[in-house]
Amino acid sequence: ITQIREITGEHERIADDLSRLIETANAPIFGVDLNGMVTEWNRKAADMLGYTKGETMGKHFIQNFIQPENRQSVARVLNRAMAGEEAANYELPLLSKSGRRLTVLLNATTRRDAKGSVIGVVGVG
């Protein structure tokens, strides 16, 4: 039992470290699930776009944060990433809370659970 507690404690420390790394990274990081809903939104993304993490979680990423004329191409990139075809250096056209248009150079990576099943996409700008 002591060994199990030690292992569990180590896993919790690692998870906390990774969460802090994502949150404090000097690059915008977002995550979407298989339905395109936001599951991750770090501080840099919040600073750039003016939306807090709380304002974005559970919202449809493409419909809410992508310029209308670019939604189809962004959907293709995210769908490819969900199929395992990751994108590097994709120019992601974002729309800020104030209506300002921004472009971020994005790497879209397939997000998988512990069993290897695809659960969404992580985007790092």
Side-chain angles (χ1 to χ4, degrees), residues 30 32-34 36 61-62 66 70-94 104-111 118 120-124:
F30 68 88
V32 296
D33 65 15
L34 294 174
F61 179 73
I62 292 173
I66 301 298
N70 300 108
R71 289 178 181 159
Q72 213 171 9
S73 64
V74 172
R76 279 194 297 273
V77 168
L78 294 181
N79 287 334
R80 281 191 212 125
M82 287 178 200
E85 186 183 326
E86 300 177 350
N89 300 321
Y90 174 73
E91 290 186 9
L92 181 69
L94 295 164
V104 173
L105 204 55
L106 178 82
N107 292 311
T109 304
T110 306
R111 186 173 186 184
V118 175
V121 175
V122 174
V124 179

Side-chain angles (χ1 to χ4, degrees), residues 37-115:
M37 304 306 212
V38 176
T39 58
E40 185 58 59
W41 192 266
N42 78 343
R43 191 176 305 154
K44 188 67 172 183
D47 290 346
M48 286 179 67
L49 296 176
Y51 292 99
T52 66
K53 185 173 188 169
E55 290 175 304
T56 63
M57 299 300 283
K59 297 266 175 43
H60 195 275
F61 179 73
I62 292 173
Q63 294 303 316
N64 290 284
F65 310 108
I66 301 298
Q67 301 164 18
E69 63 273 17
N70 300 108
R71 289 178 181 159
Q72 213 171 9
S73 64
V74 172
R76 279 194 297 273
V77 168
L78 294 181
N79 287 334
R80 281 191 212 125
M82 287 178 200
E85 186 183 326
E86 300 177 350
N89 300 321
Y90 174 73
E91 290 186 9
L92 181 69
L94 295 164
L95 196 56
S96 76
K97 190 174 186 176
S98 66
R100 190 167 52 110
R101 293 169 177 251
L102 303 161
T103 301
V104 173
L105 204 55
L106 178 82
N107 292 311
T109 304
T110 306
R111 186 173 186 184
R112 298 177 185 274
D113 65 13
K115 296 178 182 174

